[in-house]
Amino acid sequence: MQHETILITGAGGGIGLATVNALLEDEAVRVIAVARDAGHRLSDAVHRHGSDRLRPIDADLSSPDAIERIASAIGPGRLTGLIHNAGVLDRTAMGAHQRARILEVFDINAAVPLLLTQALADRLAGDPPGHVLHISSMGGFQDSAKFPGLVAYSASKAALACMAQCLAEEFKDRGIRSNALALGAVDTGMLRAAFPGYQAPVSAMEMGRFVAWFVRQGYKSFNGKVLPVSLSSP
């Protein structure tokens, strides 16, 4: 059996954990799951699927050495997919923004995905092409509805989406494809924090299944695209 190996960040809960579980439904897939407190958050999944198929890596992506530690921990083997799912929400009223927090949001939501992709490019290159999938947001999708208090978050997700398109060009001769999914309302802790009381029409598990399918199949039809995946955007 030819195995696929997919690395996903932000794997400890929400859409990330749902994507991990959806990927592991196929025995041909191995997952490297990056999260803070990964051993604890992913212990049930490791118990169900085995440590040979699911490898947690405990990392705080805000740490200066996080990318180097992840690249070193996974070794030289081929990656067929890289899902940039980790992200931070910022809800700040205009007039209260602080430079340090804005930089933190852009660091995790945009800079870290670029640097991690760069570090893992040699492992993603090949045939079939490695697929870099960026989990963006409808908040960062051009001409979509925008909401007060979410300017830093939405702008950082717009940067992530643009970066996905740029990386398709950077890697077009190396056997790497890059796309972004701009997600609408999904029932996660992050959405509930952003929009208290709003009932999302899509569960984390439903979206996780779609993300799992797209990282494995979407590169065959798309490259350098930002695709809205949304039933609603609050």
Side-chain angles (χ1 to χ4, degrees):
M1 180 183 296
Q2 184 174 358
H3 284 90
E4 303 170 50
T5 301
I6 297 169
L7 188 148
I8 179 170
T9 64
I15 294 170
L17 182 57
T19 301
V20 169
N21 287 320
L23 286 168
L24 290 171
E25 290 177 1
D26 188 331
E27 293 187 359
V29 178
R30 294 172 177 165
V31 176
I32 301 170
V34 178
R36 287 178 294 181
D37 196 18
H40 174 70
R41 290 173 179 248
L42 294 161
S43 59
D44 289 345
V46 172
H47 179 73
R48 287 196 306 274
H49 300 287
S51 58
D52 58 326
R53 296 192 56 221
L54 174 58
R55 182 178 178 189
I57 294 180
D58 194 346
D60 180 349
L61 294 177
S62 66
S63 298
D65 65 343
I67 291 168
E68 181 180 350
R69 287 179 50 239
I70 292 167
S72 176
I74 67 175
R78 176 97 202 278
L79 290 175
T80 54
L82 170 59
I83 305 173
H84 293 300
N85 174 71
V88 294
L89 174 70
D90 181 75
R91 189 181 180 103
T92 302
M94 186 55 60
H97 288 285
Q98 298 291 324
R99 180 182 181 87
R101 178 57 176 169
I102 294 171
L103 293 177
E104 179 185 1
V105 172
F106 272 81
D107 182 44
I108 297 299
N109 291 356
V112 166
L114 172 57
L115 294 171
L116 185 57
T117 302
Q118 176 179 262
L120 300 179
D122 288 345
R123 298 167 175 85
L124 288 157
D127 183 23
H131 190 190
V132 183
L133 179 57
H134 306 76
I135 303 303
S136 187
S137 168
M138 286 300 295
F141 192 73
Q142 184 173 347
D143 296 330
S144 66
K146 302 297 187 285
F147 302 93
L150 298 177
V151 58
Y153 172 78
S154 296
S156 70
K157 287 297 190 177
L160 181 69
C162 181
M163 189 177 72
Q165 295 179 307
C166 293
L167 289 179
E169 182 67 19
E170 294 281 352
F171 294 131
K172 66 181 182 181
D173 298 324
R174 295 188 62 184
I176 301 174
R177 293 180 183 163
S178 173
N179 292 293
L181 298 179
L183 304 190
V186 180
D187 185 22
T188 64
M190 184 179 288
L191 181 88
R192 291 189 290 272
F195 299 97
Y198 180 79
Q199 182 60 52
V202 179
S203 71
M205 191 65 243
E206 289 169 326
M207 188 57 74
R209 289 185 185 279
F210 182 81
V211 172
W213 173 83
F214 192 85
V215 74
R216 299 180 67 198
Q217 301 294 331
Y219 75 90
K220 298 176 182 178
S221 302
F222 300 99
N223 190 31
K225 303 302 180 186
V226 180
L227 305 172
V229 184
S230 176
L231 289 177
S232 72
S233 184

